[in-house]
Amino acid sequence: MTKDFRFPDNFLWGTATSAYQIEGSPTADGAGRSIWHRFSHTPGNTWLDQTGDIACDHYRRYKDDVAIMAELGTNAYRFSVSWGRIYPEGIGAVNKKGIDFYSRLVDELLKRGIKPNVTLYHWDLPETLDDRGGWLNRDIAEWFCDYAVTMWEALGDRVEMWSTLNEPWVITDGGYLSGVLAPGHSNLFEAPIAAHNLLRAHGLAVDRFRSTSAAKTGKIGITVNLEPKYPASQSPEDLEATRRADAYMNRQYLDPIFKGTYPGELREIFGEAWPDWPEEDMRQISQPIDFLGINYYTRKVERYHPDFLPLKTKHVPQPESFMTDTHWEVYPAALTRVLEWVSQQYGKPPIYITENGAAYYDPPQAIDGKIEDPLRVEYFRQHLRAVHDALRQGVDLRGYYAWSLLDNYEWSHGYSKRFGLVHVDYATQKRTIKSSGRYYASVIGSKGEILSK
Ligand code: BGC
């Protein structure tokens, strides 16, 4: 029997991007530099030392890009605001020109019937705040709130969906533990502090949001990236290793937000680097949220390995599986599983898939005006089916945002990894909708029915 993949009529079908990855012109109109500007301009940090100076030039071409979203038939768009465009020094004076850019973008989206979903922090901390300790300084929770309030006052009359942070795990793991992302620190003692201050900033902002007029029509949540962990075997060592990996990546953020506690495994993992946090902080972090954004790309299989600190696990490659260009295993069943797990563990919150997608090698230029990307088509087909499976199991799933609208600046990988539904020729900035973009449009147009084919 063929399955019915029809989605609800009010389901949000979107695409997602982030400021530093697409905008370009990072210091235009009075904007202050971010840690990503500094990191990418420091030789040796990114692929071929590439920076986001031009990226997709979306800062100047946003109208064309919104027209593409409309052509795809999407009714939602998730983007992030660059803090330094609003507060060039991170705190203090507001830069009206920065606000004006996002205000124009929101108006353009609304004109096309596309619902904006604004992320306040997608990794581009103002450089001046990093000089004051960045996420290691407790004061950052207040700095972040002042910036958030400014955005709610500016756009709260038109934007109904707000997310505080994008992927606190990546910010901490990449920025403070492995050092592969800005600000490029590698320090076991810093990682838990950065994570905790991110969560404090989130909680304080949620609380502050409730007393603004933006809360009359608006909703607030957070986006986390979840990666289900599977044991390589049923040995007690592998099961323990899997539990630690899950606590570190998934529950470290969800437990404090929904339950007001950190998973016990974190003390085991961080040892003497794990501080005791005040009860008051935990109360602040666990403010009720209106929805949860989940970014899903892959799963990991874990095996105990005493030498791989601090988790004492090693990922086990899956040679018989399909891999994307970022070497992530294609494993759609884990998406259904993680949605069901979140729903059961954390009280059935309304969920949006805020990112899902795949990097594959696409040629730098369109051939005969076309870009065929069958592997990405297949990735979306399988993952959208997995999303529908979760819906059928009763998960309160309200929307899906494909990552990404455009090929863009993939952080330390520079422009070497292409995730777009729309191809970007970086030499000319020409956009070409790939076959995956056309496919996504047909899924949206049929409200999912085409997924049964
Ligand atoms: C991030 C994006 C990134 C994507 C693909 C997510 O971790 O939010 O900024 O481009 O994954 O790596």
Side-chain angles (χ1 to χ4, degrees), residues 21 122-123 166-167 295 297 328 355 403 410-411 419:
Q21 293 181 273
H122 199 127
W123 310 358
N166 177 68
E167 302 188 347
N295 295 351
Y297 288 93
W328 296 342
E355 287 181 28
W403 185 269
E410 178 55 23
W411 308 112
F419 273 91

Side-chain angles (χ1 to χ4, degrees), residues 59-71:
Y59 190 70
R60 298 188 303 165
R61 295 170 193 260
Y62 72 93
K63 282 193 182 170
D64 298 346
D65 293 336
V66 175
I68 295 172
M69 294 174 211
E71 192 178 337

